[in-house]
Amino acid sequence: MFKKINEHVAYYISLIVIFALGAFLMSSTTSNKQLQMLIFVIMAFFYVIWGVLHHFINHELSSKIVVEYILIGTLGVAIMFFLLKGGFGI
Amino acid sequence: MNMKDFLHHLFLPHISNNYRAKLLHRKSILVVIAVLFFAGFSFSAIRTSLPSVLGTFSDISSEQLLLLTNQKRQENALPPLSLNQQLSNAASGKANDMFAQNYWAHNSPDGKTPWVFIKGAGYNYIYAGENLARGFTNTQDVINAWMASPEHRKNMLSANYQNVGYAVETGKLNGEDTVLVVEMLGSTALAAAPAPTNQLASKTQQEIITATSTPVPTSSPNAAEATPTSTPISIVQKVVPPTSLGNKAGGTVLDANKKTNFKPLINSATFSSDVSKGVVALFIFALILDMIVIERRKVIRLVGHNMDHILFLSLIMLLITLIVRGAIV
């Protein structure tokens, strides 16, 4: 498992950079929850793109995998929507 | 299928779920997504139609704010502040104005400084200051946040102040239901303004002005400052929160965003964040179990990398904490 992770270190570093940037932007906009939602949607979109590219470059891409990343990205958006719409009424 | 088999089927890769935890199947994820979107809209509707059941509230009180502030001052060898009704009126006016004009800053969009509210309430200050907070659910967190910020801390621990007034108001700001806390500090006599005894009360937080002059806002949207004049008198400025409503100092302002302060059955922000964290934790748990079991059994599958999803969901867990956290200015 860890060997597999080591093989993909560069990919994970790029993913963490995307996440760190998104987290920074969201922490900078604490007074505007609508903007935070928008930033997260963009971040989720980049996550899906990153996941698909990652598998494509490693020659293991399939439609099932594309759907899986889209679903996980959408799940993240749904969680944030529930939190911000249901919890804060945006 | 008994409970043990069901949980096994839900969380562990097994022949019964085609070696992929059932929770991670496409249909299961789709169901969770649909439920979350539906729940988000439903909660929003309930918040509007039944605010006594689901809504925003906090356990913040003026009495507790005063008590904890004076505790901090005592710890720093400073005299305690006394609650002043005029400053409380000014704080309430400021909170209402923030809701009415939909801003979160020390100065209003039309250029109104905190000092306008204080003077309007009839408090003829020599020194005055303002701290703002929003989105907190208890008093201790507000005090901790202010104390952790050098500028807010300076205001709280300034030897120039004798009086304080608080307002805790619930309303809608920037499209978000929130609780605003306004703290207005002041003193009315020069005798009450001894030289600061500790380095926290530095000039960076206070301006010396004439008692009759009107403080002029600086370029910083979050900090109002006074224009120095010939007579050494004071003012302080500080945090700004959002608000709307009547300005007791200068008449009432129509405020559609301000809500009555009452305690609903369920605090929507806390409840939603707990549920969200639970959902995220459940998926992270299933992904980790799935990853470990498949690795040990050397099962070959064509699926995405669990580690990618775990990282993504961990980020969401972090963001939930960030979002629920209150803010100060």
Side-chain angles (χ1 to χ4, degrees), chain B residues 122-329:
Chain B
Y123 188 88
N124 294 314
Y125 64 86
I126 291 176
Y127 289 89
E130 180 187 65
N131 280 343
L132 301 176
R134 66 181 284 185
F136 290 92
T137 54
N138 66 73
T139 310
Q140 187 65 61
D141 287 349
V142 175
I143 297 295
N144 290 345
W146 280 341
M147 288 300 287
S149 158
E151 290 187 355
H152 295 84
R153 181 186 166 96
K154 278 182 193 172
N155 259 357
M156 289 178 67
L157 299 181
S158 171
N160 291 333
Y161 301 127
Q162 288 177 310
N163 308 126
V164 67
Y166 295 104
V168 181
E169 305 279 358
T170 303
K172 207 170 185 75
L173 192 73
N174 284 332
E176 168 202 346
D177 289 334
T178 193
V179 176
L180 292 180
V181 180
V182 180
E183 178 183 57
M184 293 284 197
L185 304 124
S187 60
T188 53
L190 272 173
T197 53
N198 63 59
Q199 58 182 7
L200 291 172
S202 67
K203 273 199 155 192
T204 58
Q205 289 194 318
Q206 301 179 346
E207 295 283 350
I208 295 175
I209 61 163
T210 55
T212 54
S213 68
T214 302
V216 177
T218 61
S219 57
S220 167
N222 288 334
E225 292 183 44
T227 303
T229 60
S230 57
T231 306
I233 299 232
S234 80
I235 299 188
V236 178
Q237 70 273 33
K238 223 27 242 97
V239 190
V240 182
T243 283
S244 67
L245 210 45
N247 173 3
K248 290 177 183 173
T252 55
V253 177
L254 180 60
D255 184 2
N257 290 328
K258 185 172 181 295
K259 295 182 177 180
T260 309
N261 286 321
F262 62 84
K263 189 173 181 176
L265 206 58
I266 301 169
N267 187 342
S268 59
T270 310
F271 183 72
S272 297
S273 100
D274 290 345
V275 171
S276 300
K277 284 178 180 173
V279 172
V280 173
L282 214 58
F283 273 92
I284 289 177
F285 178 66
L287 284 162
I288 290 174
L289 275 184
D290 185 84
M291 192 166 67
I292 292 170
V293 172
I294 291 301
E295 188 67 24
R296 283 187 178 173
R297 294 185 184 172
K298 305 293 180 194
V299 176
I300 305 296
R301 299 179 310 190
L302 187 62
V303 295
H305 298 152
N306 280 10
M307 183 54 72
D308 301 357
H309 304 329
I310 290 168
L311 282 174
F312 181 61
L313 291 168
S314 300
L315 169 79
I316 293 173
M317 190 69 98
L318 172 75
L319 293 177
I320 292 170
T321 309
L322 265 177
I323 286 169
V324 173
R325 188 176 69 173
I328 59 172
V329 291

Side-chain angles (χ1 to χ4, degrees), chain A residues 12 47 60 68-69 87-89, chain B residues 47 172 177 268 305 308-309:
Chain A
Y12 285 118
Y47 171 69
E60 51 187 16
E68 181 179 323
Y69 277 89
F88 295 92
Chain B
R47 289 168 63 90
K172 207 170 185 75
D177 289 334
S268 59
H305 298 152
D308 301 357
H309 304 329

Side-chain angles (χ1 to χ4, degrees), chain A residues 15-61:
Chain A
L15 181 64
I16 288 167
V17 167
I18 292 171
F19 286 173
L21 182 65
F24 171 75
L25 287 174
M26 286 186 73
S27 67
S28 307
T29 54
T30 49
S31 61
N32 192 333
K33 299 280 188 284
Q34 288 161 336
L35 187 56
Q36 285 186 320
M37 185 73 220
L38 178 66
I39 292 168
F40 184 79
V41 170
I42 293 168
M43 213 186 327
F45 175 75
F46 273 110
Y47 171 69
V48 174
I49 298 294
W50 177 90
V52 170
L53 278 177
H54 186 181
H55 284 270
F56 177 74
I57 292 168
N58 287 287
H59 308 290
E60 51 187 16
L61 186 63

Side-chain angles (χ1 to χ4, degrees), chain B residues 92-103 107-110 112 117 241-247 253 255:
Chain B
S92 183
K94 175 60 184 282
N96 292 334
D97 191 60
M98 283 193 285
F99 279 127
Q101 296 200 58
N102 199 34
Y103 68 95
N107 295 343
S108 70
D110 57 7
K112 212 183 293 175
F117 296 96
T243 283
S244 67
L245 210 45
N247 173 3
V253 177
D255 184 2

